[in-house]
Amino acid sequence: MFSLQQRTDRGKRLGVAAFTALLSVCLSSKSVTAQDTPAQGAAPAVESYPTAWFAPFSPQTALDMVGRLPGFSFDPGNEGVRGYGEAGGNVLIDGKRSATKTGGLTAALAGIPAKAVARIEIFRGGGVAGDQSGQSLVANIVRAEAPRTLSGNLGLSRMDDGLYGSASLTVIRTLGDFHLASTTAYEATGEQSRGRRDLFDTTGMQTRHDGLTFRTNYPEWSQRLTLSGPMASGRMTMNLMLARARLDEAFTFHTDDLTDGFPKHTDRLRGEAGFDWTRGLGNDYSLKLLGMARSTDLNLISLSQAGETGDALSTIDRYESRSTSGERILRAAVIRGGNGVWRPEAGVEMAWNTLDSRSLFSGHAASRVFVSEARMEAFGTLNWQAAPKWTVVAGAAYEVSRIKAEVDAATSNRFAFVKPHLVITWTPDTRSTLRLSARRSVGQLSFGDFAASADLAQGTVSAGNTDLGPDSRTTLAFDYDRRFGTRGAFNLNAYSDWRQNVLEAAVLPSGGISVVNVKSARVRSLSAGLELPVDRWIRGGLLKLRRAWLDTEVIDPLTGVRRAITATHPDEFAASFRQDLPWVRLSWGIDYIGGYQARLWYADETRLQDHAAELRLFLETSRFFQARLRVEVNGLSGLRNTYYRDLYTPNRTGAWNGSEVWEIRTPVSLAVSLSRTF
């Protein structure tokens, strides 16, 4: 372990030194000068990038175009958060958020062909009203009028002896005053990994050495439909999504005379329907109504098997579970847009969440848990243009909710939260933005934590806990964003979180193992990013660097000792270089993601994950078939995850019961994709 830490510390020092040196070049170089943006909007803080600006990069979708925006860090949103208001990312489509959560913005933007985009606008300085109010950077996809587009993508990848593929077809048509977009997709991903597992007793003597194989296969097909157009003196957008997947994975441990297998099969069916209707009310005011319903069915079978060979295994244990989860949201808001000094917003949101879970573990009685949550929230926000260079966004939300859980007996908990927020943004010039924000937010409980579960490969069982409450956090954050040249950008972010009711593993009064709420925790973070054009030395070259530090602290619910929050890793470093050669319609690049260590605390074990650095190389060209051909090689440095497990009996307050080391190595993979828009 000492040598591992030495290598990690050395890598951190090299990463810091490289980042500091290049940052100095960026801030002091005379060769990089500020230039006008491609096109300025009416307000100084708005930039407009027409489709022609992206042509040298041969984008195929709006997602490709967003990835090429200078100084813009794409936030795809989080479909697992509470309700709709806090689930969105930082991209709008025709001035509105996508009325969908499943798949997030990534799926929505991937379904918009590049030819269907007229331009992309970037709002800097928090000057956007509505759901994205107060964000320092927001992109808006402005689609072309009456687009008629057909686009497709074919992909093929190979890893060791595994062959995977993907295909998608997007059709956009105009039906009178309505626009219809349909995306049909199939994607089969997977992994073919090998490694070892070593077991040690309490004296440190090795008791077993196993070869390890890990195989996954995740085929999924999906269908998305979007219909938008005028309706009832307003504009309506409707979204439908249906996806079916079969997820297969298996750990196998083998010696010369013994094989243990742990196959797992999951059938997943997801569906979502949503609508968004907006109508102008005059004087820059508009009424926005949104409704959404989504559901997920999961059917899981997990086995523990043993035998002398992998072809003759007998089942020892069997775990089955079937769950149906649902979320329904209704939201209404009145928003004032335009360029007025005062732009208020007020509304209400109601949500209903449910989970019906049944499970059966061999040797145990069947278990069933039904969880439901009813929640209502009233919110209001005022966007104030205090001065030409100053924007203040202030507001608050008040929510009440009730969570009911039914197992052997019904339990019910009521919660109420006040969630204020304040964002102050200063734009001293058209290329700089400083933002100070304070916000209180509430997380969404994973109802799966209420139900019993088991991981047979790792030998862990959770009893589930029906007495859980949502976590909340108060965040104070500072952001600085600086543009230089046509593609250069530097950003700095720092925040501090005061968290309540975070979830950590512990022992329940019943003796079972599950997660519990811990009263308080603290998180501090500092991150910096740099996009540095290097045309002076390499024509068309762009270097990107990102460095992040994270410090967390929580009191262990079992031992009472202060430690880091489970599964957080303190340092991140990433670097990438890309060269675009538009005169030969060719681009290439290399991406590096630094390794990290993360420690996890379970009720009866501690685990250290050592994730090795990753290296990726890609080549893109649009010289053939009027399409974009992309070749990508992943894992050039060898993908490796090593887990160091320390086991305790009966839990971490008891005696140490030995250790295990799992090392999983994933071979190099090659992926080829072909995309074309007609």
Side-chain angles (χ1 to χ4, degrees), residues 50 325 358 501:
S325 59
R358 300 174 175 86
N501 290 324

Side-chain angles (χ1 to χ4, degrees), residues 317-650:
D317 286 316
R318 181 185 180 96
Y319 173 75
E320 297 182 52
S321 71
R322 175 104 187 239
S323 65
T324 302
S325 59
E327 180 180 31
R328 292 161 292 280
I329 299 172
L330 287 175
R331 182 181 176 92
V334 175
I335 305 170
R336 185 180 186 184
N339 296 317
V341 174
W342 302 94
R343 286 170 290 167
E345 174 190 2
V348 62
E349 178 175 301
M350 296 177 288
W352 299 267
N353 300 314
T354 59
L355 171 70
D356 188 356
S357 175
R358 300 174 175 86
S359 61
L360 177 63
F361 190 20
S362 54
H364 298 75
S367 172
R368 182 183 181 185
V369 176
F370 182 79
V371 187
S372 63
E373 177 188 34
R375 180 176 60 84
M376 177 176 287
E377 173 183 289
F379 57 89
T381 298
L382 182 62
N383 194 313
W384 174 34
Q385 191 70 48
K389 297 181 179 182
W390 290 87
T391 302
V392 178
V393 179
Y398 177 73
E399 74 163 59
V400 292
S401 64
R402 183 182 66 175
I403 298 178
K404 296 176 64 177
E406 301 177 16
V407 190
D408 298 326
T411 61
S412 179
N413 292 311
R414 295 179 181 270
F415 303 93
F417 298 97
V418 178
K419 303 184 294 184
H421 65 271
L422 174 66
V423 182
I424 302 174
T425 305
W426 179 42
T427 53
D429 54 58
T430 59
R431 292 183 167 273
S432 300
T433 303
L434 291 92
R435 176 174 176 261
L436 182 66
S437 63
R439 180 183 297 271
R440 191 187 188 206
S441 57
V442 179
Q444 175 63 50
L445 279 169
S446 172
F447 288 164
D449 292 329
F450 285 63
S453 61
D455 189 323
L456 300 184
Q458 299 182 17
T460 59
V461 177
S462 174
N465 184 6
T466 59
D467 190 23
L468 295 174
D471 69 295
S472 62
R473 65 187 64 184
T474 301
T475 304
L476 181 64
F478 169 80
D479 296 276
Y480 171 67
D481 185 64
R482 174 67 180 174
R483 291 280 314 286
F484 55 91
T486 56
R487 296 190 296 165
F490 171 73
N491 59 76
L492 180 70
N493 169 265
Y495 73 83
S496 182
D497 267 356
W498 292 265
R499 301 186 182 184
Q500 297 83 39
N501 290 324
V502 297
L503 296 180
E504 292 284 345
V507 178
L508 304 178
S510 63
I513 291 175
S514 187
V515 294
V516 299
N517 287 118
V518 179
K519 184 177 180 181
S520 63
R522 185 71 184 272
V523 177
R524 304 174 186 87
S525 174
L526 176 65
S527 62
L530 175 66
E531 296 184 21
L532 181 64
V534 293
D535 301 85
R536 180 177 179 180
W537 305 281
I538 303 175
R539 188 177 179 183
L542 181 67
L543 179 66
K544 292 185 179 182
L545 298 173
R546 185 180 184 275
R547 192 79 168 93
W549 297 265
L550 185 70
D551 178 56
T552 67
E553 185 180 275
V554 70
I555 296 178
D556 192 296
L558 274 173
T559 64
V561 175
R562 292 184 181 273
R563 59 166 174 82
I565 296 176
T566 290
T568 57
H569 44 93
D571 298 292
E572 294 181 7
F573 177 73
S576 67
F577 173 79
R578 177 182 181 119
Q579 184 181 21
D580 295 300
L581 308 171
W583 58 93
V584 292
R585 291 184 288 178
L586 181 70
S587 300
W588 72 276
I590 188 166
D591 300 323
Y592 172 83
I593 302 175
Y596 64 83
Q597 290 184 334
R599 189 171 290 278
L600 302 90
W601 283 265
Y602 299 97
D604 55 357
E605 84 169 84
T606 62
R607 186 181 306 175
L608 176 67
Q609 178 188 4
D610 176 30
H611 184 89
E614 301 181 25
L615 194 63
R616 181 185 67 173
L617 178 68
F618 71 88
L619 178 70
E620 293 178 349
T621 181
S622 56
R623 300 186 63 180
F624 309 105
F625 317 115
Q626 296 182 328
R628 185 182 68 172
L629 176 67
R630 180 181 175 95
V631 180
E632 184 175 308
V633 182
N634 292 294
L636 282 172
S637 59
L639 298 179
R640 177 183 56 80
N641 269 297
T642 305
Y643 299 89
Y644 301 89
R645 306 178 65 189
D646 286 310
L647 311 177
Y648 298 85
T649 301

